[in-house]
Amino acid sequence: MAGGFGVSTGGGDFEAKITPLVIISCIMAASGGLMFGYDIGISGGVTSMPDFLKKFFPVVYQKQQNPGLDSNYCKYDNQGLQLFTSSLYLAALMATFVASYSTKMLGRKMTMLIAGIFFCVGTVFNAAAHNLAMLIIGRILLGCGVGFANQAIPLFLSEVAPTRIRGALNILFQLNITIGILVANLINYGTSKLTDGTGWRISLGLAGVPAFMLTVGSLIVVDTPNSLIQRGQLEAGKAVLKRIRGIDNVDPEYLEIVEASRVAAEVKNPFRNLLKRRNQPSLIIGIMMQVFQQFTGINAIMFYAPVLFQTLGFKSDASLYSAVITGLVNVLSTVVSIVIVDKAGRRMLLLEAGVQMFLSQMGVAVVMGLKVKDTTNTLGHGLGILVVILICSFVASFAWSWGPLGWLIPSETFALEARSAGQSIAVFTNMLFTFIIAQAFLSMLCKMKSGIFFFFSAWVLVMTLFTVFLIPETKNVPIEEMNDRVWKKHWFWKRFMDEWDMEAPKGHA
Ligand code: BGC
């Protein structure tokens, strides 16, 4: 049996130690986040590299070489260029549905392995690309990897983690996303200095490192007890539960998982089941969390930070530099979230961040509106720094709220019977809206100019009101007890739960 440190808590939590196995499993699984983050961060820098543009997007290259030709806001408005970034998310959203069956039938571990393999092959295509088709095929394969990884990893983490640190362990995934983005920004910074035209190839090729880590990691980890039990491997599930919890008597938790699996097994059509009244609250929240997460506008910054900073008048080098700073703020603020999410709770983080994101974005909109016009840019050094600070403040508040919680809350609020399908709808929605932002942002910037930041801040206002009234607190609630302890007690959502008592078998009501 694995040794452990840490003790159990009361309050409905099951007895569990924080065993090395839990920690290693989570680190391994979270390396998938590294891969996702690297893909997010790498495209912005690559698409501002002259050699890359010259080879694949000569029209944009021409515009870049003749700065007087276009409005400050429109230099990079090119559908093909946006497709390079966004094709990954389009592929990911389609892959999610297959991934939902694979997490259910093959388990979390196997789904992570499939993701790792997609990542490896996609990286080879990208790094070796000598035409646009290879480039896009590579991005599509990476997208399939993202669809599988983002489906399996948050589920894996939430199921393996002891309740009292579930939030923190789950956010490891997000932490790795942010580290991936930062590393990508740093690598772009380095490779953009190469003069032999290989910079973009190295940037895209280094994605092979996290891809390999995820592939190997998923061979080493054990599958979750919930997944094993759900697939009928009761003894194996119990044995794994003992190992990951570091104790001998796991019966209370084991029985609860067995019961949840029994209910889950009665589900014939998982997606139709999701529409049942009792699953609607978690479904609505799962979907809205993703829509809102993307409409904070975070990816306008994550994908296009170097381009955005160039729009603001920074030189190519200075803009990559600023992107590195926002990347660092993103990582550090995610750590803040890990430390406080299980103490302060989910709602407090979302509400505080709502206010901070709103003020920061309004600030950016006003400064840009006054100073950056179509053909003139009078931002100057001082105000330029102010914009970078405001963007950092926005990124920081996103990183301790909607960033991690967008993944955490859906992974912990669905009942087991709806968890795989629910998670896949959440990932699907996330990818769909990420795709929309990736595909539309540069055109929106060109049309709406600085007003785009007013647009995002209006969304932040809406999501903060949604949080006030409709997002329940889920900290310290065991994952299979959400119905009783969260939904049935919520002022609004409780009316969706009556049918649970009538339909669900005894012991689970
Ligand atoms: C989001 C990504 C975003 C990243 C930024 C993630 O939670 O899903 O779309 O780029 O956070 O750190």
Side-chain angles (χ1 to χ4, degrees):
M1 173 170 307
F5 50 90
V7 283
S8 65
T9 56
D13 189 2
F14 297 109
E15 194 187 348
K17 292 174 179 162
I18 301 170
T19 58
L21 191 61
V22 168
I23 297 191
I24 293 168
S25 296
C26 292
I27 292 174
M28 286 301 194
S31 67
L34 260 188
M35 184 69 209
F36 180 39
Y38 192 86
D39 289 334
I40 292 173
I42 209 71
S43 48
V46 166
T47 50
S48 65
M49 287 180 195
D51 284 317
F52 177 83
L53 292 176
K54 199 158 52 175
K55 189 167 174 63
F56 298 108
F57 301 97
V59 179
V60 185
Y61 178 72
Q62 289 302 331
K63 280 199 206 177
Q64 203 196 31
Q65 297 306 302
N66 301 300
L69 231 52
D70 245 319
S71 153
N72 275 326
Y73 288 101
C74 298
K75 275 187 238 171
Y76 293 91
D77 177 17
N78 176 287
Q79 292 295 318
L81 191 62
Q82 297 183 85
L83 189 64
F84 165 71
T85 301
S86 66
S87 53
L88 187 147
Y89 302 93
L90 199 56
L93 71 90
M94 294 179 192
T96 317
F97 285 109
V98 187
S100 136
Y101 285 98
S102 131
T103 41
K104 194 171 162 213
M105 317 298 268
L106 306 175
R108 299 12 174 173
K109 174 184 158 92
M110 187 58 93
T111 308
M112 293 192 282
L113 179 62
I114 299 175
I117 295 171
F118 270 122
F119 282 141
C120 291
V121 183
T123 304
V124 171
F125 266 86
N126 264 349
H130 50 76
N131 54 35
L132 191 56
M134 276 184 85
L135 204 60
I136 303 284
I137 292 176
R139 289 290 283 180
I140 291 175
L141 289 168
L142 291 179
C144 294
V146 168
F148 278 79
N150 289 25
Q151 163 76 16
I153 295 173
L155 284 186
F156 176 90
L157 294 175
S158 284
E159 290 176 345
V160 161
T163 303
R164 68 188 181 283
I165 55 159
R166 185 180 64 233
L169 280 190
N170 192 288
I171 296 177
L172 268 184
F173 179 61
Q174 175 70 16
L175 181 66
N176 278 268
I177 296 180
T178 60
I179 294 175
I181 297 176
L182 175 65
V183 170
N185 286 345
L186 286 169
I187 288 177
N188 277 339
Y189 186 63
T191 59
S192 67
K193 301 246 171 307
L194 298 175
T195 47
D196 58 359
T198 56
W200 63 270
R201 260 189 219 286
I202 299 179
S203 286
L204 296 179
L206 283 173
V209 176
F212 184 72
M213 277 170 64
L214 177 65
T215 312
V216 174
S218 57
L219 288 171
I220 298 174
V221 292
V222 285
D223 211 345
T224 69
N226 313 53
S227 175
L228 289 166
I229 293 170
Q230 194 179 16
R231 285 177 293 131
Q233 301 176 35
L234 299 189
E235 282 314 306
K238 191 169 190 179
V240 169
L241 194 58
K242 285 184 183 172
R243 278 176 66 203
I244 59 177
R245 297 290 178 248
I247 53 168
D248 261 331
N249 182 13
V250 291
D251 284 346
E253 185 173 5
Y254 172 74
L255 291 175
E256 191 166 280
I257 301 176
V258 170
E259 173 58 14
S261 301
R262 204 178 58 70
V263 175
E266 284 165 12
V267 172
K268 298 284 168 296
N269 181 333
F271 288 100
R272 186 162 322 138
N273 179 56
L274 262 185
L275 296 176
K276 289 220 170 109
R277 207 171 148 71
R278 63 170 181 260
N279 289 324
Q280 284 172 8
S282 30
L283 181 63
I284 294 170
I285 296 224
I287 291 177
M288 291 319 289
M289 291 295 299
Q290 312 305 319
V291 176
F292 288 149
Q293 187 202 58
Q294 290 307 314
F295 275 125
T296 57
I298 186 67
N299 279 327
I301 293 167
M302 290 301 140
F303 297 150
Y304 299 119
V307 169
L308 189 68
F309 284 114
Q310 279 185 35
T311 303
L312 285 167
F314 291 85
K315 296 270 162 299
S316 172
D317 212 31
S319 46
L320 272 175
Y321 200 62
S322 311
V324 170
I325 297 178
T326 49
L328 200 61
V329 168
N330 197 13
V331 173
L332 296 178
S333 310
T334 308
V335 176
V336 172
S337 189
I338 293 189
V339 175
I340 62 178
V341 68
D342 289 311
K343 300 188 192 78
R346 285 63 166 151
R347 276 172 59 83
M348 208 285 277
L349 285 171
L350 291 171
L351 294 174
E352 185 285 334
V355 176
Q356 192 173 330
M357 289 194 293
F358 182 78
L359 295 177
S360 313
Q361 268 171 343
M362 293 291 274
V364 175
V366 170
V367 177
M368 278 180 75
L370 292 175
K371 295 292 177 187
V372 184
K373 308 283 182 208
D374 275 346
T375 47
T376 56
N377 182 345
T378 51
L379 200 58
H381 186 65
L383 282 179
I385 293 189
L386 178 65
V387 172
V388 174
I389 292 176
L390 287 171
I391 291 186
C392 285
S393 154
F394 166 73
V395 170
S397 44
F398 172 88
W400 59 59
S401 62
W402 288 92
L405 299 180
W407 297 110
L408 172 64
I409 293 181
S411 77
E412 66 181 11
T413 43
F414 282 102
L416 183 62
E417 58 154 347
R419 200 170 297 147
S420 281
Q423 178 72 10
S424 80
I425 296 286
V427 178
F428 172 87
T429 314
N430 187 287
M431 293 303 142
L432 177 63
F433 283 83
T434 309
F435 167 76
I436 292 173
I437 296 281
Q439 190 63 30
F441 175 69
L442 295 178
S443 310
M444 284 166 80
L445 183 66
C446 176
K447 301 237 159 42
M448 298 168 77
K449 315 210 171 359
S450 57
I452 191 158
F453 290 99
F454 286 123
F455 169 82
F456 287 133
S457 42
W459 275 98
V460 170
L461 195 63
V462 173
M463 67 189 78
T464 307
L465 290 174
F466 183 89
T467 309
V468 170
F469 295 109
L470 294 175
I471 298 189
E473 183 53 67
T474 46
K475 78 166 174 182
N476 290 333
V477 180
I479 192 163
E480 309 300 355
E481 289 178 19
M482 290 292 164
N483 278 323
D484 286 344
R485 293 182 44 184
V486 173
W487 301 118
K488 283 184 185 174
K489 300 219 162 90
H490 189 270
W491 74 274
F492 180 73
W493 300 119
K494 66 179 177 205
R495 69 198 70 195
F496 287 75
M497 293 295 138
D498 352 333
E499 146 208 293
W500 186 258
D501 289 317
M502 292 177 318
E503 275 192 28
K506 211 169 153 305
H508 213 265

